[in-house]
Amino acid sequence: MSSRSLPLALLLLAVLAGSQPARAAGTQAPQASAGGGIRIQCVPGHVLLGKDREAEVRIELEPSATGLELFVSRGELGPLTQVGPGAFRATYVPPRQKLPLVVILSALARGPQGVLDGWTVLPLWGQGEAEVRTRAGAPVTLRVGPETYGPILADARTGIARIPVAVPPGVHEAFFGRKRIHLGVPPQPFVHAIMERRELQADREESVNVRVYVVKPEGGTQRSGSFTFSASRGAVGAPVEVGRGVSVARWTVPPGPAGTLELKGSVPGERRASFGVRVEAVAGPARSFEMRVDREELVASEEARVTVVVSARDGIGNPAKARLRLESERGEGVALTERRPGEYVGVLGITPGFGGRERLELRLLAEGGSAPLLTRTVALRAGTPARVTVEPLQPFLVADGRAEVSWRIAVADRFGNPVPEPWPQAVAADGPPITLVSRETGTYELRYVPPPARVDHLSELNVRVGEALGRGSVSLLHRRSVLLVGPRVGMVTNFADVLAPSAGVRLELWPARPLPDLGLLLDTGYLRLARTGGDAVPGFTGRDEWLDGTLAVALRSSLGRGFEGWVAAGPSLVRVRGSSRLGEGPPLEEAAWVFGAQAVVGVGFPLGPGQPFLEASFRWFDDPALRVLRGALSGVGLHLGYRLEIF
């Protein structure tokens, strides 16, 4: 009888179609293992590679635990699903291979007293076909581990028997009777390690526990050996055995660049007892920021915008995560988006009306925060001149050859922003020399002395700034007297029984501003009237006197060729005194104060140092109710006078 071992490729990969070995009567019960507070159970208790597509992983722990994580040394785990208080389920999918091996499943969680852990093993049985050469037609039975396969009759012509077998982990040979047949199964790793944390903060020293699980090739637990470690950064302390087959080592990582860190471990001289784990060193909180802009100056337009790039770094310079927002001091804002790790970008649109600002402050804020993390200013520049405003600083000017007229010139673009350049070019209608002074951005004051005005007229100022034009006008008045005094003499009559001489003097005040043709007249007049009784009352004589004071509002106007006219009206206060005598009798004298009113119209023309004038007046004085004089006096007067200018 002869036999031969099946090569590895043939044993574990060449499976005959439809050849499914039945499970032996001694199939293992579901695997379960309890660690520090977590119980893990796999159903079924082992998986036949190539046939069983998945297994259910059941986890039980105290209901108050949080942060449950499940790990596996080979294969894939589906998401954890909670099915009750402290009870979870997950699906395990084995790797696509035929080689038998032991899978280590472990779990970590956080309980009120600290870390909870648990682990178990799940044997993955390989399957294939063993080929035995013996005498033709002989029955062939193989024993693989605890299972027996066959009998299968050898081929009647060649003497070859092909027997489907299932190989549990840790089994490397089959027995045909007493004959050993090497199955060609390579050694499989029996060490698995996990990190108690998936991430470390890169900008500070961090420590993490590394849990190492060691099992026998067939899946049983064994004591941990002495490990040596090699870390990409930091140092690893000596492992401490916390349970049979479980050791914990402390990995201390100093601050450094963010990225994936790797820890390798092995038992010297045992290549199957090696492992490697990785942990992500992630950047810490953003501590420093740098802001860059695509332009240092913004020109007013409908598309005015600035692109901002912000770099965020943790305490040692690693690109950091941050939720950032950019705002301007005027209230525009935009959330920044991450373009690459630690770099954020945003485009901030700016309203083209700058409101007189020459610089704009950009503020970097943490999302939800109010205090700026960083500020940056950009210059604001107006567009081309589009509007020129020309306004006189006073509505009129008495042009006497000495007074200066002042103008305000404002230059703005089409959004209302003041434009500082170019400077205005101005031409006054009267052609005098011009002084132009900048008062603030886009605003100028223009001054010049117009020549003396012979008559009142409008003077225009034309201003050009680039292609924009502006025009303004101011009233130039010929010089008028401000303070005058004018004596006068004339006659007053009521066109009946009164015809009396009259004299007076007037003080005129004509303010130059704001209405140079509106003034006040303070007028005093004296009127004397003598009366006789005639044939009706022989021997009667009388004398009446009126001394009046009038405050009148006056309005004057230039009539051309030097002539000036005026009208005035106002109330009067009159002292009336009457005296009468009959024959040689004693005189009877009485006096009283009465109110009155007076209106005048006059015209004058320059002659000599002053201005002679002719004036007509209408007077009304109330009844003094004297025994010697009764009745109101109303009449008209005509006077000649001469006005002298005081100022």
Side-chain angles (χ1 to χ4, degrees):
M1 179 170 53
S2 64
S3 64
R4 63 181 179 88
S5 62
L6 185 65
L8 173 63
L10 178 60
L11 172 64
L12 298 177
L13 297 179
V15 180
L16 293 177
S19 62
Q20 300 293 339
R23 294 188 186 273
T27 298
Q28 297 179 11
Q31 293 291 324
S33 176
I38 301 179
R39 176 181 171 83
I40 305 174
Q41 182 181 27
C42 296
V43 179
H46 74 266
V47 171
L48 184 60
L49 293 171
K51 178 183 179 183
D52 297 333
R53 296 184 179 274
E54 60 185 37
E56 184 180 66
V57 183
R58 301 174 181 177
I59 304 168
E60 296 179 0
L61 71 167
E62 56 185 272
S64 60
T66 60
L68 176 63
E69 290 186 279
L70 186 61
F71 306 87
V72 67
S73 58
R74 294 287 299 274
E76 296 181 359
L77 286 169
L80 283 166
T81 303
Q82 187 169 6
V83 296
F88 295 83
R89 298 288 186 268
T91 299
Y92 170 72
V93 178
R96 294 184 177 181
Q97 69 173 53
K98 302 299 180 179
L99 296 173
L101 76 158
V102 174
V103 169
I104 301 174
L105 294 103
S106 55
L108 295 174
R110 296 204 171 270
Q113 305 302 320
V115 176
L116 303 178
D117 71 295
W119 69 290
T120 189
V121 296
L122 177 63
L124 305 184
W125 288 31
Q127 64 170 325
E129 189 177 75
E131 183 178 293
V132 178
R133 184 180 297 275
T134 184
R135 69 178 183 275
V140 177
T141 300
L142 286 181
R143 180 168 55 85
V144 180
E147 306 295 335
T148 300
Y149 301 93
I152 300 293
L153 296 177
D155 186 87
R157 185 172 58 85
T158 62
I160 295 176
R162 293 181 175 88
I163 306 170
V165 296
V167 183
V171 176
H172 300 279
E173 55 191 8
F175 290 89
F176 176 42
R178 295 183 179 180
K179 182 71 173 180
R180 292 178 182 270
I181 302 174
H182 183 62
L183 298 178
V185 178
Q188 297 294 315
F190 54 84
V191 177
H192 176 52
I194 63 171
M195 294 284 190
E196 287 190 0
R197 292 168 56 187
R198 294 183 182 271
E199 290 183 348
L200 303 177
Q201 195 165 312
D203 63 343
R204 67 185 184 190
E205 183 179 281
E206 291 268 58
S207 294
V208 59
N209 286 337
V210 182
R211 290 182 173 267
V212 182
Y213 302 90
V214 182
V215 297
K216 295 178 180 179
E218 65 274 13
T221 60
Q222 67 176 13
R223 301 191 66 84
S224 303
S226 59
F227 290 95
T228 60
F229 298 96
S230 173
S232 57
R233 186 162 82 225
V236 182
V240 177
E241 191 169 31
V242 296
R244 185 173 177 82
V246 184
S247 298
V248 176
R250 189 78 165 170
W251 182 12
T252 302
V253 181
T260 301
L261 303 180
E262 187 173 14
L263 174 67
K264 295 181 180 180
S266 63
V267 175
E270 180 55 75
R271 63 185 182 89
R272 293 179 300 167
S274 62
F275 63 88
V277 288
R278 295 180 178 181
V279 66
E280 286 296 322
V282 299
R287 303 294 185 189
S288 62
F289 302 90
E290 179 186 355
M291 186 190 305
R292 304 186 301 276
V293 295
D294 66 336
R295 62 197 68 192
E296 297 293 335
E297 183 181 70
L298 280 173
V299 180
S301 71
E302 289 87 349
E303 299 180 354
R305 56 178 54 90
V306 59
T307 300
V308 178
V309 179
V310 175
S311 297
R313 297 290 184 267
D314 66 8
I316 61 171
N318 292 308
K321 290 278 187 182
R323 295 177 61 194
L324 301 174
R325 179 174 179 80
L326 184 71
E327 291 184 358
S328 75
E329 61 182 310
R330 300 195 310 168
E332 299 103 339
V334 62
L336 302 185
T337 57
E338 188 176 28
R339 184 164 64 180
R340 60 175 63 95
E343 186 172 285
Y344 300 84
V345 65
V347 179
L348 183 64
I350 305 299
T351 304
F354 298 150
R357 292 181 175 85
E358 295 183 0
R359 303 192 70 80
L360 183 67
E361 183 181 76
L362 304 178
R363 299 167 180 167
L364 180 67
L365 305 173
E367 195 68 49
S370 58
L373 304 171
L374 191 66
T375 61
R376 177 72 180 267
T377 58
V378 294
L380 301 177
R381 183 164 63 86
T384 56
R387 184 170 65 249
V388 180
T389 304
V390 182
E391 298 174 338
L393 297 183
Q394 61 270 25
F396 63 88
L397 179 77
V398 177
D400 57 1
R402 298 187 303 272
E404 190 176 59
V405 62
S406 298
W407 301 78
R408 178 183 179 274
I409 301 173
V411 184
D413 62 12
R414 57 196 176 100
F415 305 107
N417 300 307
V419 180
E421 294 179 350
W423 274 46
Q425 297 176 345
V427 177
D430 300 315
I434 288 175
T435 300
L436 185 64
V437 179
S438 176
R439 292 303 183 193
E440 56 188 30
T441 302
T443 303
Y444 307 85
E445 184 176 324
L446 184 145
R447 300 190 302 269
Y448 64 88
V449 178
R454 301 176 63 88
V455 294
D456 296 347
H457 67 281
L458 286 177
S459 177
E460 290 189 344
L461 179 67
N462 296 307
V463 178
R464 175 185 290 274
V465 183
E467 299 298 322
L469 298 175
R471 177 178 299 171
S473 61
V474 64
S475 294
L476 296 182
L477 309 179
H478 72 281
R479 185 182 179 281
R480 294 166 170 79
S481 300
V482 176
L483 186 63
L484 302 99
V485 62
R488 70 180 188 282
V489 295
M491 300 294 292
V492 176
T493 181
N494 63 354
F495 298 105
D497 57 346
V498 176
L499 180 62
S502 172
V505 63
R506 176 186 300 147
L507 184 65
E508 303 179 19
L509 177 63
W510 302 89
R513 297 179 183 178
L515 300 174
D517 291 328
L518 187 66
L520 293 175
L521 306 185
L522 179 60
D523 186 271
T524 60
Y526 178 76
L527 173 64
R528 182 185 177 100
L529 174 64
R531 296 177 290 124
T532 63
D535 295 336
V537 185
F540 175 81
T541 59
R543 185 179 72 250
D544 300 317
E545 297 175 335
W546 286 266
L547 180 63
D548 65 89
T550 302
L551 181 63
V553 177
L555 183 66
R556 65 182 175 182
S557 176
S558 177
L559 303 178
R561 297 183 180 272
F563 282 84
E564 184 179 57
W566 62 89
V567 294
S572 302
L573 182 62
V574 186
R575 179 67 175 176
V576 181
R577 183 174 179 274
S579 176
S580 63
R581 174 181 291 186
L582 183 60
E584 296 297 328
L588 178 63
E589 295 184 352
E590 291 180 305
W593 288 97
V594 297
F595 289 104
Q598 186 174 186
V600 299
V601 58
V603 62
F605 60 93
L607 181 65
Q611 188 182 71
F613 66 89
L614 175 65
E615 187 176 79
S617 62
F618 172 78
R619 302 166 183 233
W620 175 83
F621 302 143
D622 198 8
D623 182 2
L626 302 177
R627 288 178 294 173
V628 296
L629 181 63
R630 293 182 180 275
L633 174 63
S634 60
V636 298
L638 189 65
H639 295 81
L640 290 174
Y642 196 81
R643 303 166 77 194
L644 293 173
E645 180 181 352
I646 299 176
F647 175 72

